[in-house]
Amino acid sequence: MAAGDIGARSFGGRAAAFINNPAVRGLVFQIAFVVALVWFAWDIADNTARNLQRANIAAGYGFLDRTAGFGIVQKLVDYTEASSYGRALLVGLLNTLLVAGLGILIATILGFIIGVARLSSNWLISRIATAYIEILRNIPLLLQLFFWYFAVLRSVPGMREKWTFLGIFHINIGGLHVPRPVFADGAGTVGIALIVGIIAALLVGRWGRKRQEATGQAPPAGWIGAALIVGLPLVAFFALGRPISFDVPVFNDQGPILRRGFQAGSGMTVIPEFFGLLLALSLYTAAYIAETVRAGISAVGKGQSEAAHSLGLRNGQTLRYVVIPQAMRVIIPPLTNQYLNLTKNSSLAVAVAYPDLVSVGGTVLNQTGQAVEMVSIWMIFYLGLSLLTSLVMNIWNRRVALVER
């Protein structure tokens, strides 16, 4: 056989081995996929730019500096009609974060309570929890939102009347009227004292857990933490001459009918759209969290509870110290999904005119015609918030996960 033929066959064998190498083929396919994806994205961007140019629509985010010219009924930062579109979107963003944050907190607390209640040995409590879960999670969220907003919150007294709770909380068709905090010099120091108290309480709780693991004795870390959280701000509050006061809402029930009602500028009003959205999101998501909690608790072997009882722990202590810590390993991953769903479902606020990011952004879009830019802002916000939530929950999940030795 000629040397050339041997060399050719040797080269062909190496080439075939190189091509059939799974690592090489995987790399080639990945490169091809990235190239195709980049080309696809460039084609979409180029086509969009051509269409915008053809429609005489200026691209870019320069419109955010222009005057908005519309009002927003609920705002957590200073905003007027003379503010910019960017400021308006910031107001909508903060409103979204507010309803999502409070919704997650309420849904988590309520979901854990109902999830534990469904496993209760008390027949009535168990059936009530089951009915709650089966009813609320099988009714579409949008219908529940309409129920709370139109059927419940619209049945309260009109603008010239009110319902009063404890003499300081008032509700009518205009919303919930509560005292408005007024901050003077030194109020920031009280806030810092509160933060320091919370951090100190967390450190005390960590010390208490370590001591309990080392000695078997549980110090009163909970009471010490509560004293720090409440005591430090109170000490700062009185030491600085009470820099925080409250402006009470003033209701006028005398004179002509058109002059009756709450005086403008007195107290603080929480709009009914916020309440309706918060109730719908919290109660709906709590039903799913309750099922997640029930599944997590059921995944813990009965032997764990029996062992805890044999050591003299009561039912509440067994649930708190033995069952729930082990169940959290099962609960956290699906709980993350429910937090993400609640945050994204908050975009339904547009159905009841609550000024969240989607609602405010829709107004900006209608006035400016910057559809691509507004959609990109919505996508970036919800994507970023979802990734941040997932990051926090994944860190928590790693902290409670079993560590194999």
Side-chain angles (χ1 to χ4, degrees):
M1 182 179 293
D5 294 338
I6 296 176
R9 290 185 179 183
S10 176
F11 176 77
R14 289 196 300 269
F18 181 79
I19 295 174
N20 293 326
N21 189 333
V24 173
R25 285 188 299 175
L27 180 62
V28 171
F29 288 143
Q30 291 180 54
I31 294 175
F33 175 77
V34 170
V35 170
L37 185 63
V38 170
W39 174 83
F40 182 69
W42 177 85
D43 186 65
I44 292 178
D46 181 67
N47 187 53
T48 302
R50 292 175 182 273
N51 291 335
L52 291 175
Q53 184 178 10
R54 191 177 299 112
N56 293 324
I57 299 177
Y61 296 90
F63 70 97
L64 295 176
D65 295 328
R66 288 156 47 188
T67 302
F70 62 89
I72 301 178
V73 293
Q74 176 176 301
K75 42 191 178 291
L76 301 178
V77 294
D78 292 334
Y79 174 83
T80 64
E81 294 184 1
S83 300
S84 64
Y85 284 125
R87 189 72 172 182
L89 293 175
L90 175 62
V91 172
L93 169 62
L94 294 177
N95 287 341
T96 298
L97 293 176
L98 176 64
V99 73
L102 290 177
I104 287 175
L105 177 63
I106 296 173
T108 302
I109 296 174
L110 188 60
F112 267 81
I113 293 174
I114 296 174
V116 173
R118 186 168 186 182
L119 296 173
S120 173
S121 57
N122 186 299
W123 184 89
L124 181 60
I125 293 178
S126 176
R127 293 303 180 271
I128 291 176
T130 301
Y132 173 90
I133 293 171
E134 295 302 329
I135 291 174
L136 267 73
R137 73 174 183 170
N138 287 294
I139 297 177
L141 177 57
L142 185 59
L143 293 183
Q144 295 188 39
L145 177 58
F146 286 158
F147 169 78
W148 287 111
Y149 182 68
F150 293 107
V152 176
L153 296 178
R154 287 294 175 177
S155 63
V156 299
M159 295 295 292
R160 314 305 171 188
E161 301 174 315
K162 64 173 182 174
W163 288 342
T164 301
F165 304 94
L166 303 176
I168 55 176
F169 301 103
H170 315 279
I171 187 171
N172 62 12
I173 197 68
L176 177 65
H177 305 269
V178 298
R180 176 172 58 88
V182 179
F183 302 101
D185 292 338
T189 305
V190 178
I192 294 175
L194 176 61
I195 296 175
V196 172
I198 294 174
I199 295 175
L202 293 175
L203 294 176
V204 169
R206 185 176 180 180
W207 164 79
R209 288 191 298 270
K210 288 185 177 180
R211 181 175 178 182
Q212 183 179 6
E213 292 175 358
T215 65
Q217 298 178 351
W223 290 106
I224 297 175
L228 288 171
I229 294 175
V230 176
L232 286 180
L234 283 179
V235 171
F237 176 76
F238 287 106
L240 295 172
R242 295 184 289 185
I244 302 176
S245 59
F246 292 91
D247 179 26
V248 179
V250 178
F251 184 81
N252 181 22
D253 56 358
Q254 304 294 330
I257 189 67
L258 294 179
R259 292 184 177 272
R260 298 179 185 178
F262 287 97
Q263 293 185 4
S266 66
M268 180 174 65
T269 302
V270 182
I271 59 176
E273 291 80 5
F274 172 78
F275 265 115
L277 181 62
L278 181 62
L279 284 172
L281 289 174
S282 302
L283 298 179
Y284 178 78
T285 307
Y288 286 91
I289 293 179
E291 276 295 88
T292 299
V293 171
R294 181 195 64 80
I297 294 176
S298 299
V300 179
K302 292 184 178 180
Q304 299 293 319
S305 299
E306 294 172 353
H309 290 152
S310 68
L311 294 175
L313 295 181
R314 297 187 296 272
N315 290 334
Q317 293 175 323
T318 299
L319 184 66
R320 178 181 176 185
Y321 296 115
V322 178
V323 177
I324 292 295
Q326 297 183 67
M328 291 305 297
R329 299 168 185 141
V330 179
I331 292 174
I332 291 179
L335 185 64
T336 303
N337 291 335
Q338 297 308 321
Y339 288 169
L340 297 177
N341 289 336
L342 187 148
T343 303
K344 291 180 287 188
N345 286 336
S346 66
S347 60
L348 290 175
V350 68
V352 293
Y354 174 72
D356 74 325
L357 181 64
V358 175
S359 179
V360 174
T363 303
V364 174
L365 190 155
N366 290 333
Q367 291 188 0
T368 62
Q370 306 289 152
V372 175
E373 290 79 3
M374 278 311 310
V375 171
S376 67
I377 290 175
W378 287 333
M379 293 175 63
I380 291 172
F381 164 72
Y382 282 106
L383 177 61
L385 187 57
S386 297
L387 292 177
L388 179 61
T389 303
S390 298
L391 175 63
V392 173
M393 295 300 291
N394 288 336
I395 293 174
W396 186 18
N397 188 37
R398 285 194 295 268
R399 289 179 61 89
V400 302
L402 277 175
V403 179
E404 297 183 359
R405 297 180 180 178

